[in-house]
Amino acid sequence: MPAVFERRVCLLPLVLLLCIVSTAEAAPSWNVGYRTIALQDAVTGESFPLALWYPTAAAPAPLFVTGSLSLCSLPAIVCRGIAFEMPVAQDAPVAAGAFGVIVVSHGAGGMALLHRDLAMALALHGYVVAAPTHPRGKGDDISGVGVWVGRPKQVSRVIDAVLEDGDLGAHIERERIGVVGHSNGGYTALAVAGARPSPGSEAAHCREHPDDAKFCGYGGAATREAAREVGHLPELRDPRVRSIVLMAPNAVRFTDDALARVTVPALIYSAEEDDLTRVQYHGERLARTLPRAECVLVKGAGHFSFITSFPTALKIVAGEGARDPDGFDRDAFHEVMNREIVGFFNRTLRPGGAPLTKGAQPRSCRSR
């Protein structure tokens, strides 16, 4: 017994050391830096802003940013109610190391800061996150050439800008690029991942499914006219994109054959109470047709539950975008979802990670 006890005591420091190393690897070792740049739309020439979050060693401080990405100059107690607060190190130098890149594409009529909590979670875990405010264009950022072609081209321009950036470019691992998209941002992510959209598909869907009234009426006559004007589509796939996350995505613009050509891993989130991109026409369909997908049906969530919560005063302005179905806790859900998305990109983008195997996932959404 004494000999056995002695061996156990000798092993104890090794066990403790392994625990410490494991904890150190799991814990974020960076803070979040933040800055903005302006880019130009390749389709219209219009300028659009880009928000950047990235790992830094600099200490964070509360920063109050408006929807236009300008800073709130009022007292903090006022800014906290009317601007988006982020604990970040503004314009700080990037940390030492090599990082992946995640582009975040917001939904129709949205803006760069709508998924800021996810952006900060990713930056804390070793990613440079780039979120554009997509130009609204003639179709009001809902439909038309400005969406069908403009949005995917803007994502490619964002990737170019990050890789070419004098401060960030040298830190980027170019084989580790992913895209997150919500709603029309989901369309955008699918297009850059290799799904070729089909003009006329939305009209065909609405003829076949008159029950999908909210989706088919979204944007009104002007949007339907803009969709009819979409002509020949250029190549939209960006081969640098290796993994995608889709939140309540708009999948109607793609045929099943087009979706089957997406070879990158995809994580899909659908909302049980979503009456805009309804599960059966979007999330479930993607789970069946994408070769390497996993899908989560979020019980009790609505279409806008994937957006970060709004400051108090802006909830009135945001309207439906700030509201959830009764009983749904958006903030609690985001804590879980953000961890899952970080883990998904770690698995599918990290060298030596475990990508989703083609055909190995369930062909429907699992409820949670």
Side-chain angles (χ1 to χ4, degrees), residues 27 36 45 58 131 157 163 175 185-186 193 196 202 221 296 307 313 325 332 365:
T36 64
R157 179 68 192 96
L163 296 181
E175 301 298 307
R196 191 176 186 87
E202 284 183 343
V296 178
I307 294 174
C365 300

Side-chain angles (χ1 to χ4, degrees), residues 38-356:
L39 300 179
Q40 198 168 42
D41 181 15
V43 175
T44 66
E46 183 180 354
S47 177
F48 64 94
L50 179 69
L52 294 165
W53 295 262
Y54 52 91
T56 183
L63 188 70
F64 299 97
V65 186
T66 68
S68 65
L69 301 187
S70 60
L71 301 183
C72 179
S73 57
L74 299 172
I77 191 171
V78 178
C79 290
R80 189 163 280 114
I82 63 173
F84 301 94
E85 181 177 2
M86 299 183 293
V88 294
Q90 185 183 14
D91 297 325
V94 63
F99 310 115
V101 176
I102 307 297
V103 181
V104 180
S105 179
H106 61 72
M111 55 186 175
L113 297 179
L114 290 186
H115 303 280
R116 62 196 179 280
D117 64 338
L118 173 60
M120 288 187 285
L122 285 163
L124 279 172
H125 288 84
Y127 292 92
V128 173
V129 183
T133 294
H134 290 289
R136 298 185 71 87
K138 183 179 178 181
D140 200 26
D141 193 31
I142 298 174
S143 190
V145 176
V147 173
W148 287 66
V149 178
R151 275 173 161 266
K153 292 293 185 183
Q154 290 151 21
V155 167
S156 292
R157 179 68 192 96
V158 166
I159 295 172
D160 291 341
V162 173
L163 296 181
E164 295 165 1
D165 187 86
D167 295 319
L168 296 172
H171 294 270
I172 301 303
E173 293 180 307
R174 298 180 178 227
E175 301 298 307
R176 298 180 59 218
I177 298 177
V179 177
V180 176
H182 173 241
S183 195
N184 257 0
Y187 157 80
T188 308
L190 285 164
V192 296
R196 191 176 186 87
S198 298
S201 57
E202 284 183 343
H205 168 81
C206 292
R207 285 193 302 269
E208 295 170 12
H209 302 286
D211 60 312
D212 202 6
K214 187 168 183 178
F215 176 86
C216 294
Y218 195 65
T223 296
R224 290 191 291 274
E225 178 62 28
R228 284 192 289 270
E229 293 176 358
V230 176
H232 171 72
L233 295 176
E235 178 61 49
L236 300 173
R237 176 177 175 265
D238 192 321
R240 298 173 295 185
V241 174
R242 303 298 181 89
S243 184
I244 58 175
V245 172
L246 312 171
M247 305 169 176
N250 177 0
V252 163
R253 293 182 180 136
F254 307 100
T255 65
D256 286 358
D257 286 344
L259 292 170
R261 292 187 175 93
V262 176
T263 60
V264 304
L267 172 60
I268 308 157
Y269 286 96
S270 286
E272 181 185 37
E273 303 298 328
D274 189 344
D275 59 355
L276 183 56
T277 53
R278 297 171 69 178
V279 176
Q280 64 266 44
Y281 300 132
H282 301 273
E284 285 283 358
R285 180 168 170 251
L286 290 171
R288 292 192 305 269
T289 53
L290 293 177
R292 301 167 66 191
E294 58 184 69
C295 182
V296 178
L297 176 62
V298 184
K299 304 290 283 185
H303 183 77
F304 298 100
S305 297
F306 302 98
I307 294 174
T308 313
S309 294
F310 286 85
T312 305
L314 293 186
K315 288 182 178 179
I316 301 171
V317 179
E320 188 178 13
R323 295 193 294 269
D324 296 291
D326 290 344
F328 187 80
D329 188 332
R330 185 181 297 198
D331 293 336
F333 165 60
H334 276 236
E335 288 186 13
V336 175
M337 180 184 70
N338 292 346
R339 286 197 301 269
E340 290 177 347
I341 292 174
V342 169
F344 174 77
F345 282 130
N346 284 348
R347 294 197 316 272
T348 58
L349 292 179
R350 193 173 299 282
L356 295 176

